[in-house]
Amino acid sequence: MTEKQQRFHAAYPGSFFLTSEEPELLGEFLKNIGWISPDETITLIEKPGEGNMNYVLRVRTDRQSFIVKQSRPWVEKYPQLDAPIERIVVEAQFYDALSEVGELQDFIPALKGFRAEHFIMAVEDLGKASDFTNIYNKSVQISPTELTDLVGFISGLHQVSAAEIREPFPDNQELKELNAEHIFNYPYLEDNGFDLDSVQAGLQALAMTYKQDEALKKKIKSLGKIYLGKGDTLLQGDYYPGSWLRTAAGTKIIDPEFAYLGRAEFDMGVLVAHLKMAQTDDAVIEAGLIHYKRIGQNFDHGLFAGFCGAEILRRIIGLAQLPLDLSLEEKGYLLTWAAESVLNPQMNTFMKTDTSDISRSTTLRNHD
Ligand SMILES: Nc1ncnc2c1ncn2[C@@H]1O[C@H](COP(=O)(O)OP(=O)(O)O)[C@@H](O)[C@H]1O
Ligand SMILES: [Mg+2]
């Protein structure tokens, strides 16, 4: 037994530990819970791609192929970091909530099964796919069609009404608190023990400007409070290139474990932040955002700009680093832009004007 397995069994003695190391036990388990038939044969077990938080396998049999995902009480990539195991419930419930929303079905894998007692979920295999993290490379651009898909999905998601979600959606508070720490607090601690020069020489000194900017820190803190609060829009919660897949059947959205009922401005701020870090042309971003149809319905541009800036700042000076293809000067420029976006949101012109026809006539006002 590996150390991880022992740790898991000590905490959850009645739960199955998902691993590719014991294919016979896995086959037995899948038959017991009825996800495969008694006479079905497993022909392949493999890791379908790079993940962060969870343990994910592709299981192929003589009849079907599907993805099995288990959450554990830690971050799979960094097992020394604890993480709330209930996050798999959020993910399963997100897929379940959307299972009746026709126009979003094409963008997500179908939920095949969920066993809460084992913290295991099975979803449709979207086939060999790669996520969108290569768009951070200067030589790779997101295509306008892909951006249309991404904005179209999130626009549709944000229009799902609470009435369509059959069960009350989990508040996901514990995972949000973990996330909030890494977005709104940790990056701004002068002595957090993370040497940014180990990422890129000179980054630590560059970051110091922001770690010592009291006005910025105060605004970031207030954004954190809003993030931790509630809203009435179902969010994907982690809408960045690692959650987007390029598949043979087009653009797909996965990994909604950070989903919660919150403010639409959060998903949109994160989306635009990553497009900026991927050096997407402003004109391409603008053209993509036209497909966001919810704008005007109580969309707070200042809040959007705040979340957008905060996400850029934390990805450059925080712990959750990305494979960014940016020189120190380029990071410096982006950090300046991001801090401005937080402190002086009017300079961030994305999502600013109502682009949908109907929203021009709406009487709803933005509020701070
Ligand atoms: N339904 C799916 N079909 C095909 N590949 C998938 C599917 N779900 C996940 N993958 C692959 O597995 C990787 C890890 O899955 P993900 O849900 O992102 O796990 P984590 O929560 O650990 O980040 C993804 O980046 C993707 O490459
Ligand atoms: Mg992932």
Side-chain angles (χ1 to χ4, degrees):
M1 248 199 235
T2 64
E3 199 191 314
K4 271 183 179 171
Q5 195 162 0
Q6 278 170 10
R7 217 175 125 191
F8 185 83
H9 279 312
Y12 302 96
S15 303
F16 181 77
F17 184 80
L18 186 65
T19 170
S20 61
E21 305 294 311
E22 291 162 346
E24 309 226 315
L25 284 180
L26 177 57
E28 216 174 280
F29 170 75
L30 293 173
K31 282 174 189 173
N32 279 339
I33 62 171
W35 287 355
I36 65 174
S37 309
D39 58 343
E40 205 168 337
T41 312
I42 294 181
T43 54
L44 172 101
I45 297 171
E46 67 175 10
K47 185 177 167 181
E50 275 314 311
N52 289 313
M53 300 273 292
N54 305 288
Y55 191 83
V56 187
L57 287 179
R58 165 177 285 124
V59 176
R60 189 166 297 153
T61 73
D62 51 350
R63 272 163 242 184
Q64 58 176 331
S65 185
F66 55 93
I67 302 290
V68 190
K69 181 166 179 174
Q70 182 173 51
S71 62
R72 285 137 183 203
W74 57 75
V75 175
E76 206 58 40
K77 213 155 91 180
Y78 309 101
Q80 68 278 15
L81 297 181
D82 292 341
I85 194 165
E86 297 77 20
R87 60 193 188 272
I88 197 77
V89 181
V90 176
E91 190 154 351
Q93 209 169 314
F94 180 91
Y95 288 133
D96 187 53
L98 298 196
S99 65
E100 316 252 291
V101 188
E103 73 270 23
L104 299 180
Q105 273 308 291
D106 285 349
F107 290 100
I108 54 168
L111 180 64
K112 175 182 164 66
F114 175 53
R115 288 293 180 280
E117 69 276 28
H118 300 294
F119 310 98
I120 288 179
M121 173 190 81
V123 292
E124 174 192 355
D125 184 1
L126 299 169
K128 291 269 182 229
S130 55
D131 69 22
F132 275 64
T133 49
N134 70 345
I135 66 167
Y136 298 122
N137 294 336
K138 285 209 178 78
S139 56
V140 181
Q141 299 298 316
I142 194 164
S143 79
T145 316
E146 289 168 337
L147 192 49
T148 300
D149 286 342
L150 293 169
V151 176
F153 172 81
I154 206 71
S155 174
L157 177 66
H158 291 173
Q159 291 174 75
V160 171
S161 70
E164 282 173 276
I165 308 166
R166 283 161 300 190
E167 292 170 84
F169 202 81
D171 63 17
N172 211 0
Q173 204 63 22
E174 219 186 312
L175 190 60
K176 278 170 70 185
E177 271 161 26
L178 185 72
N179 207 24
E181 168 66 21
H182 285 281
I183 304 174
F184 306 104
N185 185 39
Y186 180 94
Y188 303 95
L189 303 175
E190 277 190 50
D191 282 318
N192 60 19
F194 181 43
D195 179 14
L196 288 163
D197 287 341
S198 70
V199 174
Q200 197 163 10
L203 192 56
Q204 186 70 30
L206 196 58
M208 215 40 91
T209 316
Y210 304 96
K211 290 177 187 278
Q212 294 172 342
D213 184 335
E214 293 308 320
L216 176 70
K217 286 162 71 166
K218 188 163 171 245
K219 191 71 198 288
I220 293 280
K221 205 171 171 185
S222 73
L223 288 165
K225 286 217 178 87
I226 298 172
Y227 170 78
L228 285 172
K230 291 176 182 27
D232 49 19
T233 303
L234 181 58
L235 308 187
Q236 199 277 345
D238 197 20
Y239 210 53
Y240 90 113
S243 301
W244 312 332
L245 289 186
R246 288 193 178 101
T247 78
T251 308
K252 305 283 179 174
I253 313 303
I254 59 161
D255 211 359
E257 67 192 334
F258 287 92
Y260 67 101
L261 288 168
R263 299 286 306 248
E265 292 86 345
F266 182 72
D267 272 346
M268 297 313 290
V270 169
L271 164 65
V272 173
H274 287 269
L275 295 172
K276 288 297 282 182
M277 288 185 278
Q279 305 212 297
T280 311
D281 249 31
D282 283 358
V284 172
I285 300 178
E286 288 282 5
L289 292 175
I290 286 171
H291 302 282
Y292 189 72
K293 298 300 183 197
R294 190 185 182 274
I295 200 164
Q297 296 171 21
N298 201 19
F299 191 91
D300 182 337
H301 174 269
L303 188 57
F304 154 78
F307 283 138
C308 180
E311 178 68 7
I312 292 176
L313 283 154
R314 75 100 165 199
R315 290 296 189 169
I316 297 180
I317 70 169
L319 192 63
Q321 293 281 323
L322 297 165
L324 300 178
D325 186 8
L326 301 168
S327 67
L328 194 64
E329 288 69 26
E330 287 165 333
K331 284 184 182 174
Y333 172 79
L334 264 182
L335 288 172
T336 308
W337 187 89
E340 267 292 288
S341 184
V342 173
L343 289 171
N344 177 23
Q346 291 307 306
M347 62 67 70
N348 181 335
T349 53
F350 298 113
M351 305 293 292
K352 207 166 180 184
T353 48
D354 291 354
T355 47
S356 63
D357 296 332
I358 38 152
S359 56
R360 289 199 183 278
S361 59
T362 184
T363 53
L364 284 170
R365 311 293 309 177
N366 290 342
H367 58 81
D368 286 312

